[in-house]
Amino acid sequence: MRKVINQMKHSTKRGLRVASAAAVAALALGTLSGCAGASESKTFTVWWYSGEDTAQYKAWTAALEELKAAHPDVTVNFEFKTWEQIEKSGNSILDSDKAPDVSEWNKGNGTAGAASAAGLLTNLNEYAAEYGWDTTLPASAQAVGRYTDGIMGQGDLYGIPTYGEYVGYFVNDDILAANGIDAASLATNADFEAAMDKLVAAGITPITAADYMLVHLAYNMTLNTADQDWVNAYQFFTAPVDFNDEQFTDSSTTLQRWVQKGYIASSASGATADDAVAGFTSGASPFMPGGTWLDGTVSGAATFNWSKMLAPGNPVSTGSAGNVWVIPAKGKNADLAAEFINLTLQPKYQDMMANDGGLPLLANIDNVTDPTTLKTLPLFNELVASNGLGFYPDWPVSGYYDILKAAVIDLVAGNTTPEQYREAIGSYYEENKP
């Protein structure tokens, strides 16, 4: 769940460099073997919908130029699409002679999942083994491209992500410094709550949040004691989910306590996400839960020193790899499509994406100079390296976002109890899961 809809944090920088070097070596070897494939057609059609202002667009365009140079006998036909076109008409296009050879595709059960179950996408297992995608891309990143009978998370690989996103806290370092608090010292929930007690005593509301941010906040609290087995059960139905378990009980009671203690204003229940962003960028509160899609907004509006942090104590965090490359079954250049996908995962294009403000999966942090990316990419690398991406809370069942938002707003407003909150979200989940 993003605004429009809509494991352990022990990895060292050296460790990430070693992992990145191994990934580069494997991907580079894959490129050599992948170039051998002959195309069945002299026209190669590429679709994507990430806009011209995105880091993905710029990196993918450069990769496409390299592909053109390597295959001068092939006419490359790039077509820019919109997210809505893929969401509404994607599968019908795939099941026609107008299917592209490779396309950015919406992740999830209803889109890539449905297309894979209908036989409209190429199974990428062999290409993944050839190019090394199955080993170089962490499991929590691959999950958005793996489907079994249309259900995301496990099974055969039908999509390849190249970038990602996650939810953490934006931090006003100036407010913390003025109150003798160091964000780097907030390693546990106890540390975090002690810092927020200090801020409340100084007349400061620690957290500004509203609308979908409250949904993210509640889910991140739920993930606080979760591991990947719990995530797989909730997201991919690998085991029954108990909405009165430790995870949901702790998150709902903690959220209620935070409101009662003044960490979050109860009036947040009636505000918008834009209100929360405006409040944070104006310097009203030191913490704002938010996704990486807000990085540019905060960077452009904040007049104070700011940073980012993951939720204290969380082994897993809200977030996922981005949308995926797919190779339609009715395309005519599967080998060339795989070669292009592999190009987009090469170091120079991953680093290019990072330096344009994106969150690539395999960038080398030592090559990044963009100041905003330097705030946010190291945290993402920690999550990716440890398979700590917990996905989004509304993904498991259709229509869940509205239920989650209404329930958490009622809890923050004091209209319901934690028990009633758990009943509301649990009963809908059980009644609507596939």
Side-chain angles (χ1 to χ4, degrees):
M1 175 200 60
R2 293 190 53 177
K3 178 181 178 180
V4 295
I5 301 179
N6 337 43
Q7 255 149 350
M8 296 299 177
K9 299 170 12 183
H10 298 325
S11 301
T12 63
K13 186 175 181 183
R14 177 182 178 277
L16 290 171
R17 286 200 299 267
V18 170
S20 180
V24 168
L27 287 168
L29 290 172
T31 302
L32 294 176
S33 61
C35 289
S39 62
E40 300 174 15
S41 168
K42 292 301 181 181
T43 299
F44 180 62
T45 301
V46 183
W47 292 358
W48 70 67
Y49 50 83
S50 291
E52 291 185 13
D53 59 340
T54 66
Q56 298 93 268
Y57 186 103
K58 296 170 186 176
W60 296 344
T61 297
L64 194 57
E65 289 302 316
E66 180 173 339
L67 189 78
K68 289 179 183 178
H71 299 275
D73 60 326
V74 174
T75 299
V76 175
N77 176 27
F78 166 65
E79 297 182 25
F80 181 75
K81 301 296 180 181
T82 66
W83 186 91
E84 289 78 10
Q85 284 176 301
I86 302 301
E87 184 73 11
K88 293 178 180 178
S89 306
N91 284 4
S92 62
I93 296 173
L94 290 181
D95 196 19
S96 73
D97 59 2
K98 295 182 181 180
D101 296 304
V102 64
S103 180
E104 180 184 11
W105 212 254
N106 302 341
K107 61 196 172 190
N109 297 346
T111 47
S116 67
L120 300 176
L121 300 181
T122 300
N123 184 312
L124 302 179
N125 288 351
E126 291 186 10
Y127 285 122
E130 177 183 2
Y131 284 103
W133 304 333
D134 54 349
T135 56
T136 55
L137 290 172
S140 60
Q142 292 184 46
V144 299
R146 291 193 178 276
Y147 296 87
T148 298
D149 297 328
I151 301 298
M152 188 181 76
Q154 299 182 43
D156 292 327
L157 196 62
Y158 289 94
I160 300 297
T162 66
Y163 66 98
E165 58 190 35
Y166 68 93
V167 174
Y169 281 101
F170 290 86
V171 181
N172 183 321
D173 295 320
D174 292 347
I175 293 180
L176 295 191
N179 288 274
I181 300 168
D182 179 8
S185 69
L186 306 180
T188 67
N189 282 314
D191 297 332
F192 194 32
E193 291 198 7
M196 291 195 288
D197 284 335
K198 190 173 184 179
L199 292 162
V200 169
I204 299 168
T205 300
I207 296 174
T208 181
D211 199 77
Y212 71 89
M213 295 174 180
L214 296 172
V215 181
H216 288 157
L217 183 60
Y219 186 56
N220 252 9
M221 288 177 173
T222 307
L223 292 172
N224 198 263
T225 56
D227 57 19
Q228 280 298 329
D229 287 340
W230 187 95
V231 172
N232 290 342
Y234 175 75
Q235 293 283 349
F236 311 131
F237 317 110
T238 58
V241 175
D242 180 2
F243 281 80
N244 288 308
D245 64 9
E246 174 189 2
Q247 286 75 27
F248 283 110
T249 299
D250 282 356
S251 62
S252 57
T253 56
T254 297
L255 185 56
Q256 181 189 58
R257 185 177 73 252
W258 281 20
V259 175
Q260 291 171 344
K261 296 188 72 172
Y263 300 164
I264 308 166
S266 60
S267 59
S269 60
T272 68
D274 288 342
D275 293 334
V277 172
F280 177 77
T281 56
S282 70
S285 293
F287 300 108
M288 180 181 71
T292 46
W293 53 90
L294 293 175
D295 287 351
T297 300
V298 172
S299 179
T303 58
F304 46 82
N305 293 308
W306 66 278
S307 61
K308 298 191 74 174
M309 71 179 199
L310 298 176
N314 271 28
V316 186
S317 186
T318 306
S320 77
N323 286 314
V324 295
W325 288 123
V326 298
I327 299 178
K330 291 193 174 182
K332 300 177 177 63
N333 283 293
D335 287 352
L336 202 58
E339 183 180 340
F340 171 69
I341 291 171
N342 197 59
L343 277 175
T344 65
L345 290 169
Q346 292 304 299
K348 60 182 173 182
Y349 300 119
Q350 289 282 291
D351 291 350
M352 180 185 297
M353 192 185 296
N355 280 313
D356 277 318
L359 277 181
L361 293 172
L362 299 174
N364 185 340
I365 193 67
D366 290 339
N367 296 334
V368 177
T369 58
D370 181 83
T372 299
T373 303
L374 285 172
K375 296 177 190 290
T376 197
L377 183 59
L379 301 180
F380 182 63
N381 282 348
E382 290 182 18
L383 292 171
V384 170
S386 60
N387 286 324
L389 295 173
F391 311 110
Y392 288 85
D394 61 317
W395 278 9
V397 295
S398 178
Y400 206 20
Y401 170 68
D402 290 337
I403 301 301
L404 292 171
K405 189 170 87 166
V408 76
I409 285 176
D410 276 344
L411 182 61
V412 168
N415 296 331
T416 57
T417 66
E419 293 78 12
Q420 291 170 322
Y421 165 81
R422 295 195 299 273
E423 169 60 26
I425 65 173
S427 59
Y428 187 91
Y429 178 96
E430 292 298 334
E431 291 167 6
N432 291 277
K433 68 182 182 181

